[in-house]
Amino acid sequence: MLKVAITGPESTGKSTLSEQLARHYQTVWVPEYARSYVGNLGRPYTLEDIEAIAQGQQALEQEVQQQASTILFSDTDMLVLKIWSEHAFGHCPAWILEKLAQQDYNLCLLMGVDLLWEPDPQREHPHLRQFFYNWYKRELEQLDVPYVEIHGQQESRFALARQHVDSLLHQQHLL
């Protein structure tokens, strides 16, 4: 089973691309657990909530993975939760850092900030998108995980992502 994480700042098309890729490769994708969790919270989130979200995300990924074909797309990863936690609360729970170090994605797609910002009650930082993008890129490089940058508008993002996923599938002799 190949696993691809779609990561990066908010409002960069992660959910859209995850769904498009899953449909194209006739498989399933793992939605962002935080959306439903925060949407049902009814109060400002806490550091403990971010840890609960990380646990929920991991459990959801394990559950959805059972339905996947040769490839699984995940609309977030522990890096998103690490950066969110560090920015909002100044540090990240050890459990999230441990799970981040154990992630086993074959490829991470780092979503660029060249799409227009779409307002959403759960989005917080429209003017910090480049700051977060740079942070994600530094973290991916420090983690030494395979990643590619995805830029452009929706169709070009989809085409670029497919090129990289096809290359990964060819390397693994699955396409």
Side-chain angles (χ1 to χ4, degrees):
M1 169 77 54
L2 295 177
K3 293 170 58 179
V4 176
I6 292 83
T7 195
E10 56 190 7
S11 192
T12 55
K14 294 184 296 290
S15 299
T16 299
L17 185 61
S18 297
E19 186 174 6
Q20 287 175 318
L21 290 169
R23 189 172 37 250
H24 178 78
Y25 291 99
Q26 299 176 348
T27 189
V28 293
W29 63 286
V30 184
E32 182 184 12
Y33 184 80
R35 284 220 138 297
S36 60
Y37 185 97
V38 172
N40 293 317
L41 203 52
R43 61 171 168 75
Y45 62 82
T46 65
L47 181 60
E48 292 75 23
D49 290 317
I50 292 179
E51 192 162 8
I53 290 166
Q55 292 168 347
Q57 185 69 40
Q58 186 172 46
L60 183 59
E61 183 170 309
Q62 290 171 352
E63 177 186 324
V64 172
Q65 186 171 335
Q66 304 304 314
Q67 306 160 28
S69 57
T70 57
I71 191 164
L72 176 73
F73 296 97
S74 188
D75 172 15
T76 198
D77 64 336
M78 290 299 129
L79 181 56
V80 170
L81 292 151
K82 175 189 188 288
I83 290 173
W84 181 12
S85 177
E86 288 180 352
H87 186 263
F89 299 103
H91 72 282
C92 180
W95 184 88
I96 294 174
L97 296 175
E98 180 183 312
K99 295 303 175 188
L100 175 59
Q102 295 170 0
Q103 283 190 156
D104 60 349
Y105 294 108
N106 301 90
L107 180 64
C108 290
L109 304 178
L110 174 57
M111 303 298 283
V113 294
D114 48 343
L115 289 180
L116 289 177
W117 172 269
E118 290 187 24
D120 178 306
Q122 292 185 20
R123 294 182 179 148
E124 301 176 307
H125 306 292
H127 304 296
L128 294 177
R129 295 170 81 207
Q130 189 64 50
F131 166 79
F132 281 111
Y133 179 83
N134 295 341
W135 190 349
Y136 277 94
K137 188 172 178 176
R138 277 192 316 274
E139 293 281 344
L140 287 166
E141 289 169 356
Q142 289 171 1
L143 290 166
D144 197 28
V145 297
Y147 80 95
V148 293
E149 298 173 71
I150 303 295
H151 295 284
Q153 295 308 300
Q154 293 296 353
E155 276 309 308
S156 4
R157 283 172 182 253
F158 183 43
L160 184 57
R162 283 193 329 263
Q163 287 174 359
H164 289 289
V165 171
D166 285 349
S167 176
L168 177 64
L169 289 167
H170 279 294
Q171 291 169 14
Q172 301 295 320
H173 307 291
L174 296 172
L175 186 67

